[in-house]
Amino acid sequence: MIYLDNSATTKPHKEVLSAFIQVNEQYFANPSSIHKAGVESNALLTKAREQLAQLLNTEEKNVLFTASGTESNNAALYGLAKSSDFRGKHIITTEIEHPSILEATKRLASEGYEIDYLKVDKQGVISLDELRAKLRKDTIIVSIMHVNNEMGAIQPIEQAAELIHETCQAMLHVDAIQSFGKLPILFNGEKGPDLISISGHKIHALKGTGVLAFRKKPQVKPFIVGGGQEFGLRSGTVAVPQAVAMAKAARLAIEAMPQHVENYKRWANDLHDFFARFGEEIYVLSSRNGAPHIMSFSVRGLKGEVLINALQKRDIIVSTSSACSSKQTKTSHVVEALNMDSRFKNGVLRISFGANNTDADIEAFKKQFIAVMKELKGEFTS
Amino acid sequence: MIFKEILIRYGELSTKGRNKKDFISRLRDNVRYSFHDIAPLKIRAERDRMFIEIENQEKFDVLMERLPHVFGIQSFSPVASCEKDLDTMKALAGEILEDYRDRELVTFKVEVHRTDKMFPLNTHELQREMGATLLPQFPNFKVQVKNPEVALRIEVREDAIYMMAQVIQGAGGMPIGSNGKSLLMLSGGIDSPVAGYLMMKRGVRIDAIHFFSPPYTSDNALQKVKDLANELTKFGARVRLFVIPFTELQVAVKDAVPDNMSMTSTRRMMMKVADRVREEVGALGIVTGESLGQVASQTLESLTAINDVTSTPILRPLISADKNDIIKIAEKIGTYETSIQPYEDCCTIFTPSSPKTKPKLEKVQHFESFTEFDELIERAVKNREVYSFPQKEAKQDQFADLL
């Protein structure tokens, strides 16, 4: 199987899995217990937290372990909204966020918050002018995804942060779930983002693991309450093995980033050239300035699902634009926001690279894709 | 890397006449010690300031990060250097002042010191020349000769030009060790590490003593105290920790003295042990984290009854501090998080329900007189364990493979 759907999920690294199993065997004690075994697992948990803090350039006490990227995003929005409502109730996000942000903002809207959605251009990028125009004194949160999961657009986080911090008190939350390990994203002293969400299963760690990290001391209202774990911000016995797996995968991702990115860029450029050979038949949504590991394209007049099945028969695994909404038949909100030619709207496919891909995978994809096109479209020039 | 050296201004020691030399060499040793993990520093100590050479960015970053914690430093400044050429000097000055470009309004002046009198421009000419170049470059600067926020200091020395603008506050206080050594009673609570820190700030070298009562108290409690001792080494000095096996003595007190006075008596035994250890290690005073009225053992009456066992100076830097202020310092110095870990220590295991806040010394002495405590005290002193911090080997290497 040639797996090119790494933005949907990744296969856990062997060394991450073996660390996970080892921790389950040797350090299974509850890190809140005061017996020796508990103290030991707590020390290990602290170490894992420190490692993530270091990778993100923040302090250990500013890193929270969650059970998914979705939870991190929810916690960031609700937590900030409920703890800062005395300053205002205005929230800004973008049209093309992941549902874990958009659904959260919808719910906040029903609870009396005012939400503004930034539009994006054909490349999927927001306009800083629009952001400037929408920022107000009572804006409390701006949430912008670093890399879009469906087509790889990169948002100008640094400039946005600068703009936000000089105009108002709002906190900038960055959904870095698709970008961590592919593009540098970290806290930058007084500048840059205030909160960052990461998900484990996108970086070859385990499903059911996430992180929400803060630039400085977290001041959010917890929405999972109980035993007061995670500095009182997220109750529930802390899953030390998951935390360790997450910290390890994050370290591996950052260490290998230069090498991986070099590969991704080469493959993306290669595919851009490859798709260009099909002329009018194919529309590529991802721009060459976008994230190096996500490549979305659409074949004129063909349904995405048809293509996926045809490629799958040939052992190539790709997805429609977003796994989270793949099962839905309606066009994704991201594709809608891009204002595309309607003949291409129904067939958006996404190729996404990961740590395990090789040059041979890309060659195989191209070969099989040509075969599929011949099969489905009859003729075209390549 | 435009910076060539860091200039250190001494704190209070500038005022100490004859001992000044000792102070300076003490400070130099402590600075060296604080950076023992990087390549040896080149330090040049003069009568009223000290210079540390910088070879690279990495060294510079480490110095800037740790110098604010070394006691005995009033303030320090990164110093840039260039050749004696006017255009080069102007460019360098612009680069140094770049940090202040984004500020609202900055009051500013140029100070010139010439040790090289052969330099073609005299002090006033050089001031005017630099001012005329810099002010147009920095529209937010306004000249103010008295107390400006930024003083660009230009020194024309024999070998080169030296320039500085930034003045960073140091930790103040005195170099650790310049005021002798004391023994800190380290319980594991919030107060005692803060008391240790404050004494270190006044130049006192600290060794710590801890009373350990297995099996009533756990290894966690001991580990916590070791962690605290280790935290205290951040301020630029080694700390030794003496751990006293205290169970036997504690049980003996419990058997000999009525409940409501046992707390006073226990403290007296601790003081006796501490005083014996102090003598053996050559410390001059005993430091405690006692704060008046905070708990039953810290009333004037209790302190009197406890203090009765020794004439050694008992130093209580927190005696007049409010708990909240103590907590603030603990948070600042990074011991708070460790201190609040919830492990029983020897003071909390046999706490009577209503200890006397005004114990009568005669009564306590009367009850104690029926037991041969001295022998137990000697045994506890003799069987102490010693730990040295910072510990050489990293403790948590067991996790390295997992992460």
Side-chain angles (χ1 to χ4, degrees):
Chain A
M1 169 173 94
I2 291 170
Y3 185 77
L4 291 169
D5 193 15
N6 289 282
S7 285
T9 192
T10 56
K11 184 179 177 181
H13 283 314
K14 276 203 169 45
E15 53 267 59
V16 170
L17 274 179
S18 85
F20 174 75
I21 288 165
Q22 246 179 298
V23 177
N24 272 301
E25 283 168 349
Q26 292 170 12
Y27 304 101
F28 65 87
N30 188 327
S32 304
S33 301
I34 65 164
H35 46 66
K36 198 169 175 243
V39 170
E40 228 170 19
S41 29
N42 192 46
L44 175 56
L45 176 66
T46 304
K47 205 89 170 97
R49 210 189 292 277
E50 269 169 7
Q51 184 159 302
L52 279 155
Q54 201 188 346
L55 293 170
L56 289 165
N57 189 30
T58 182
E59 285 175 36
E60 180 251 337
K61 60 176 189 296
N62 303 342
V63 174
L64 299 189
F65 289 108
T66 66
S68 64
T70 290
E71 192 202 327
S72 297
N73 281 347
N74 275 208
L77 256 60
Y78 286 133
L80 280 178
K82 298 294 175 190
S83 69
S84 338
D85 54 1
F86 65 95
R87 279 199 289 108
K89 288 194 157 192
H90 181 237
I91 297 172
I92 300 176
T93 184
T94 80
E95 273 190 320
I96 59 165
E97 294 300 304
H98 187 269
S100 59
I101 293 287
L102 294 177
E103 292 301 317
T105 53
K106 271 189 212 163
R107 184 178 291 183
L108 284 166
S110 74
E111 292 170 15
Y113 289 80
E114 190 186 344
I115 323 285
D116 263 322
Y117 297 94
L118 302 173
K119 294 208 167 347
V120 295
D121 61 15
K122 279 218 185 288
Q123 312 263 306
V125 181
I126 59 164
S127 132
L128 290 166
D129 288 336
E130 190 191 3
L131 174 60
R132 187 179 292 113
K134 291 213 159 120
L135 281 170
R136 311 191 318 218
K137 278 270 175 285
D138 63 338
T139 309
I140 48 174
I141 309 168
V142 181
S143 181
I144 302 177
M145 70 186 347
H146 190 195
V147 165
N148 178 269
N149 53 313
E150 298 195 23
M151 39 74 69
I154 303 173
Q155 303 302 343
I157 296 297
E158 268 177 44
Q159 295 93 310
E162 206 170 320
L163 191 60
I164 292 160
H165 295 323
E166 70 194 21
T167 13
C168 61
Q169 297 272 302
M171 295 277 219
L172 171 61
H173 166 251
V174 174
D175 167 354
I177 290 166
Q178 285 295 354
S179 72
F180 188 83
K182 286 90 180 181
L183 295 177
I185 177 82
L186 40 78
F187 295 104
N188 180 7
E190 289 299 302
K191 302 189 198 88
D194 298 294
L195 293 83
I196 294 176
S197 298
I198 311 174
S199 167
H201 77 106
K202 307 285 190 196
I203 57 169
H204 302 271
L206 301 166
K207 286 153 190 77
T209 59
V211 159
L212 177 60
F214 297 76
R215 179 171 65 86
K216 53 182 193 209
K217 196 179 171 177
Q219 307 251 338
V220 291
K221 207 173 162 131
F223 74 110
I224 299 182
V225 290
Q229 289 88 346
E230 296 292 279
F231 317 109
L233 297 174
R234 184 194 186 271
S235 292
T237 300
V238 186
V240 182
Q242 280 85 328
V244 169
M246 177 92 199
K248 182 162 196 156
R251 176 179 64 82
L252 294 171
I254 297 294
E255 280 174 1
M257 186 157 84
Q259 182 54 53
H260 286 162
V261 169
E262 194 185 312
N263 290 342
Y264 301 161
K265 280 191 171 145
R266 192 175 62 250
W267 299 334
N269 279 329
D270 186 20
L271 288 179
H272 268 291
D273 298 344
F274 172 74
F275 289 134
R277 291 175 7 208
F278 294 88
E280 293 286 291
E281 287 292 329
I282 290 186
Y283 175 80
V284 179
L285 288 71
S286 305
S287 92
R288 284 187 192 248
N289 316 323
H293 61 297
I294 295 178
M295 183 83 194
S296 292
F297 66 98
S298 173
V299 179
R300 188 171 56 185
L302 271 187
K303 276 222 162 97
E305 201 181 315
V306 175
L307 270 167
I308 288 185
N309 291 336
L311 283 164
Q312 186 169 269
K313 282 206 179 84
R314 297 161 178 276
D315 227 15
I316 307 272
I317 308 296
V318 298
S319 70
T320 48
S321 54
S322 150
C324 315
S325 51
S326 283
K327 294 193 177 133
Q328 298 162 1
T329 46
K330 66 180 211 292
T331 317
S332 92
H333 65 284
V334 177
V335 172
E336 289 293 352
L338 290 174
N339 213 349
M340 280 166 59
D341 179 334
S342 62
R343 289 170 305 165
F344 287 105
K345 268 191 189 172
N346 289 328
V348 179
L349 287 196
R350 180 184 67 187
I351 299 169
S352 43
F353 312 129
N356 302 334
N357 288 124
T358 60
D359 289 5
D361 293 350
I362 309 305
E363 290 310 313
F365 166 81
K366 291 194 299 194
K367 190 174 146 202
Q368 300 303 338
F369 184 77
I370 290 172
V372 166
M373 286 292 275
K374 279 193 172 134
E375 208 176 302
L376 297 173
K377 299 285 262 185
E379 38 61 55
F380 66 91
T381 51
S382 77
Chain B
M1 190 67 210
I2 55 171
F3 295 111
K4 291 282 181 296
E5 57 187 25
I6 289 180
L7 174 147
I8 291 176
R9 298 173 196 83
Y10 304 140
E12 270 176 72
L13 51 146
S14 323
T15 60
K16 302 273 187 277
R18 275 194 329 209
N19 302 329
K20 192 158 169 171
K21 253 205 171 110
D22 299 349
F23 275 72
I24 294 171
S25 64
R26 177 76 64 179
L27 178 61
R28 188 180 50 212
D29 292 350
N30 290 358
V31 169
R32 271 198 205 296
Y33 176 78
S34 302
F35 297 97
H36 64 83
D37 55 331
I38 59 175
L41 299 175
K42 292 202 181 80
I43 301 178
R44 190 170 83 251
E46 294 178 0
R47 254 184 61 78
D48 43 7
R49 37 195 218 175
M50 193 178 277
F51 296 91
I52 304 176
E53 268 183 49
I54 305 168
E55 292 91 2
N56 54 42
Q57 182 72 41
E58 202 178 340
K59 195 169 218 176
F60 178 70
D61 291 342
V62 176
L63 281 162
M64 295 299 273
E65 182 191 355
R66 294 189 208 166
L67 277 177
H69 301 295
V70 179
F71 294 127
I73 294 177
Q74 184 69 39
S75 65
F76 59 97
S77 299
V79 184
S81 160
C82 69
E83 61 211 60
K84 298 183 188 176
D85 163 76
L86 205 53
D87 287 340
T88 318
M89 286 164 68
K90 287 173 180 170
L92 183 63
E95 211 171 332
I96 290 175
L97 295 170
E98 200 52 41
D99 283 348
Y100 301 95
R101 181 175 294 286
D102 299 338
R103 304 244 187 120
E104 284 287 303
L105 182 72
V106 181
T107 53
F108 167 80
K109 77 167 171 189
V110 179
E111 282 176 9
V112 174
H113 293 256
R114 291 193 316 157
T115 41
D116 170 20
K117 302 294 184 197
M118 304 298 289
F119 193 74
L121 293 172
N122 72 24
T123 301
H124 288 299
E125 288 166 341
L126 190 50
Q127 266 175 330
R128 266 203 305 276
E129 186 68 38
M130 295 303 280
T133 312
L134 293 167
L135 286 167
Q137 280 181 36
F138 295 90
N140 55 333
F141 280 19
K142 178 169 152 281
V143 175
Q144 179 179 312
V145 181
K146 275 196 179 150
N147 290 331
E149 289 163 293
V150 178
L152 175 70
R153 185 185 168 100
I154 302 174
E155 296 183 5
V156 184
R157 297 188 208 160
E158 301 293 339
D159 60 325
I161 299 287
Y162 290 82
M163 262 185 237
M164 69 191 91
Q166 208 186 357
V167 177
I168 300 155
Q169 279 307 307
M174 298 181 190
I176 293 174
S178 55
N179 278 326
K181 183 162 78 174
S182 287
L183 186 65
L184 168 71
M185 295 176 90
L186 190 61
S187 66
I190 296 168
D191 301 352
S192 43
V194 173
Y197 159 82
L198 291 172
M199 294 314 294
M200 288 166 111
K201 185 169 178 178
R202 293 308 296 163
V204 175
R205 184 175 295 288
I206 289 291
D207 278 345
I209 186 167
H210 176 70
F211 296 88
F212 182 48
S213 303
Y216 301 104
T217 58
S218 67
D219 284 347
N220 296 335
L222 183 58
Q223 187 54 53
K224 173 175 153 182
V225 171
K226 288 179 185 172
D227 289 346
L228 287 170
N230 198 38
E231 291 279 341
L232 288 175
T233 62
K234 276 193 316 213
F235 302 104
R238 268 185 294 279
V239 171
R240 280 187 304 174
L241 173 68
F242 304 104
V243 176
I244 305 289
F246 198 55
T247 317
E248 200 182 19
L249 256 172
Q250 242 186 317
V251 173
V253 168
K254 198 171 174 302
D255 293 343
V257 182
D259 241 11
N260 59 6
M261 271 180 264
S262 63
M263 189 259 323
T264 311
S265 189
T266 305
R267 294 276 185 299
R268 285 162 56 86
M269 298 306 152
M270 286 181 180
M271 198 53 91
K272 282 184 180 179
V273 172
D275 207 21
R276 289 275 302 98
V277 173
R278 174 201 64 78
E279 214 174 338
E280 285 190 22
V281 302
L284 296 172
I286 294 174
V287 179
T288 73
E290 287 161 322
S291 157
L292 201 60
Q294 197 186 102
V295 287
S297 64
Q298 297 178 14
T299 60
L300 270 181
E301 289 83 354
S302 285
L303 293 178
T304 308
I306 295 163
N307 214 143
D308 159 73
V309 301
T310 177
S311 59
T312 300
I314 310 288
L315 308 168
R316 302 182 176 93
L318 301 177
I319 197 71
S320 66
D322 292 354
K323 191 75 186 184
N324 284 342
D325 297 335
I326 298 172
I327 288 174
K328 272 194 199 116
I329 301 176
E331 283 176 331
K332 189 186 80 180
I333 66 176
T335 56
Y336 182 73
E337 292 294 329
T338 310
S339 286
I340 57 173
Q341 291 171 4
Y343 305 121
E344 298 281 346
D345 62 46
C346 64
C347 307
T348 56
I349 47 176
F350 296 142
T351 318
S353 54
S354 53
K356 277 215 178 307
T357 53
K358 298 183 178 176
K360 293 273 183 299
L361 179 56
E362 303 73 33
K363 278 197 172 168
V364 179
Q365 284 169 329
H366 166 76
F367 287 114
E368 284 177 5
S369 66
F370 300 105
T371 309
E372 210 30 82
F373 279 112
D374 287 355
E375 201 181 309
L376 300 180
I377 287 170
E378 280 316 305
R379 195 157 38 217
V381 171
K382 199 172 93 251
N383 292 336
R384 67 180 183 254
E385 287 179 356
V386 186
Y387 301 90
S388 271
F389 300 96
Q391 277 177 313
K392 286 282 177 283
E393 86 288 358
K395 188 179 76 144
Q396 293 179 318
D397 268 352
Q398 53 170 333
F399 302 141
D401 297 348
L402 296 168
L403 290 156

